[in-house]
Amino acid sequence: MSLRITVVGAGIMGLCTAWALARRGHTVSVFDQGHVPNPFGSSVDQHRLFRHAYGNQAGYARMADTALQAWERLWTDLGERLLVPSGTLCTASAEGGRRWLADSAAVLESLGHPFRRLTPAEIAAEFPLVDASAVAEGLHMTSGGVLLAGRIVELLSHHLNALGVTVHARNPVTAIDAERATVTLADRREIGADVLVVAAGAWVTKLLPETARRLVPSRQVVAYLTPPEGLRGVWANAPMLIDADSESGVYVVPPVAGTTMKAGDHRFSRSGDPDADRDPDPEEARDVLDRARRVLADGHRYSLANAATCFYTVTADERFVVEPLSQRSWLMSPCSGHGFKFAAALGEALGAAVDDPEEGGKTLPLWAGGY
């Protein structure tokens, strides 16, 4: 049976859910407060990382394979593969980071995912872009890569038109009635549907204030780097770098497919307002740059090209929230800094749950939580 479905939010989660629902034959409308792609949305950036290493969070490591299969279905529909393989190099020096590496190795081994443990000498020999003197050990996987996030959101939004999905850009939703599956727009129109999906990202607490007890906007600053002369091409073929130590908390995204090299701090700020705080302070950007320099060979030779802010929505335990709001409405907040990589799979899972609400209401929250 074809249902009328409203999706609030045209970030990667809302768009992937609309894609999955339309493929199931439903009539879908998507509403977003800004342009689509929305430059202020958490999904709209040059790239996002895809990886299997998750410390002791075995559920997310298992889900990565499911996510890959979902992405492949989306690539087929879009006619373009937008995941660039890079491999994954994780490093650590302090005890907390070394525990994370050990937990990751144990989970990867239990799942049959190949990996190699590396000593500092081996890191220096194989990955000279990394300052091996700054790390105590490493973990390398040939799996993992870079999702071309901005291109994905752009192509997917266009593809939805071909599927018959109506994307309403610059149509802010101001109120939600989960019981009736209706939304109120800024122009006071009320839009009803058979099913409502709320995937509003960092703005969800403004539409559903009751979620503020669990979901916290987290303002993150990312720095775009200019590598030393002659190293850009080398970096384009390098693995993503994740330094697991709490003191540095840095990740480095290689400049694949013409993108800019990027570094970020994967520790959450758990603060900020997505309607404000949009401009990174120069000191914030410098801090991210300095953290990246600590794990890069000749780090002083890397300079700051640009900086930007991104808003995650995080929970205390970093679990996703994907659950019914009512018998006719669903909430999707699968962020905590790693939601993008699972978007296609979660969109498909929610599509299945819409068609079988009772079963989906039981299993989807657990699946989204990494269990």
Side-chain angles (χ1 to χ4, degrees):
M1 179 179 65
S2 178
L3 301 172
R4 294 177 302 113
I5 301 177
T6 296
V7 177
V8 179
I12 188 60
M13 205 57 55
L15 294 179
C16 279
T17 301
W19 164 71
L21 290 165
R23 289 175 102 235
R24 287 175 166 269
H26 299 300
T27 301
V28 186
S29 296
V30 181
F31 291 86
D32 196 90
Q33 63 182 331
H35 295 281
V36 180
N38 186 345
F40 292 134
S42 301
S43 308
V44 182
D45 190 7
Q46 294 182 42
H47 25 43
R48 289 287 187 272
L49 293 177
F50 186 95
R51 57 186 167 91
H52 284 88
Y54 261 95
N56 62 6
Q57 295 176 298
Y60 288 126
R62 283 192 298 269
M63 286 164 59
D65 287 330
T66 303
L68 275 177
Q69 295 165 10
W71 284 121
E72 290 298 337
R73 286 186 285 273
L74 182 58
W75 306 150
T76 298
D77 282 9
L78 296 183
E80 186 174 346
R81 196 169 192 273
L82 297 170
L83 171 62
V84 181
S86 68
T88 307
L89 176 62
C90 304
T91 61
S93 54
E95 185 59 31
R98 300 181 75 175
R99 283 197 302 272
W100 189 88
L101 288 191
D103 289 339
S104 294
V107 169
L108 292 167
E109 187 172 29
S110 72
L111 297 177
H113 278 293
F115 65 91
R116 294 182 301 135
R117 293 180 180 274
L118 300 177
T119 64
E122 290 169 329
I123 292 172
E126 293 189 47
F127 304 104
L129 294 171
V130 177
D131 183 359
S133 68
V135 301
E137 60 180 298
L139 198 68
H140 177 253
M141 289 145 280
T142 57
S143 67
V146 180
L147 288 158
L148 302 178
R151 179 71 172 157
I152 293 169
V153 173
E154 180 182 10
L155 279 189
L156 181 52
S157 62
H158 289 304
H159 177 66
L160 290 179
N161 291 326
L163 289 179
V165 175
T166 305
V167 179
H168 300 270
R170 302 180 68 182
N171 265 272
V173 171
T174 59
I176 287 171
D177 187 330
E179 293 297 328
R180 296 172 53 227
T182 62
V183 299
T184 303
L185 304 180
D187 61 9
R188 300 186 180 181
R189 283 183 298 151
E190 187 175 88
I191 307 297
D194 299 310
V195 176
L196 170 65
V197 179
V198 181
W203 289 268
V204 67
T205 58
K206 298 189 177 191
L207 293 174
L208 297 170
E210 65 273 20
T211 65
R213 293 169 295 181
R214 292 184 294 162
L215 304 176
V216 179
S218 185
R219 179 179 178 273
Q220 309 293 130
V221 173
V222 295
Y224 299 93
L225 310 183
T226 301
E229 185 71 26
L231 288 187
R232 178 180 170 83
V234 180
W235 264 111
N237 295 293
M240 72 177 80
L241 174 62
I242 299 174
D243 188 78
D245 288 337
S246 59
E247 288 302 312
S248 61
V250 73
Y251 61 87
V252 177
V253 185
V256 301
T259 62
T260 307
M261 184 177 180
K262 182 174 74 175
D265 186 344
H266 54 224
R267 298 172 304 167
F268 300 137
S269 73
R270 299 183 185 276
S271 64
D273 180 347
D275 286 321
D277 302 327
R278 301 305 312 200
D279 296 323
D281 184 274
E283 288 303 313
E284 294 176 306
R286 176 66 60 176
D287 180 66
V288 176
L289 172 63
D290 287 344
R291 291 180 185 277
R293 283 171 164 171
R294 294 174 194 173
V295 292
L296 299 176
D298 295 324
H300 66 282
R301 298 176 61 201
Y302 290 78
S303 59
L304 186 67
N306 198 1
T309 58
C310 174
F311 275 84
Y312 299 159
T313 311
V314 303
T315 56
D317 57 5
E318 298 185 28
R319 287 181 60 174
F320 300 158
V321 176
V322 185
E323 62 191 31
L325 288 168
S326 70
Q327 290 187 339
R328 298 174 58 188
S329 299
W330 291 84
L331 169 64
M332 300 189 79
S333 186
C335 302
S336 293
H338 53 268
F340 195 107
K341 66 178 66 66
F342 297 113
L346 284 171
E348 290 187 334
L350 189 61
V354 165
D355 285 347
D356 189 349
E358 184 174 354
E359 186 62 26
K362 294 176 183 177
T363 61
L364 187 57
L366 294 177
W367 192 83
Y371 290 89

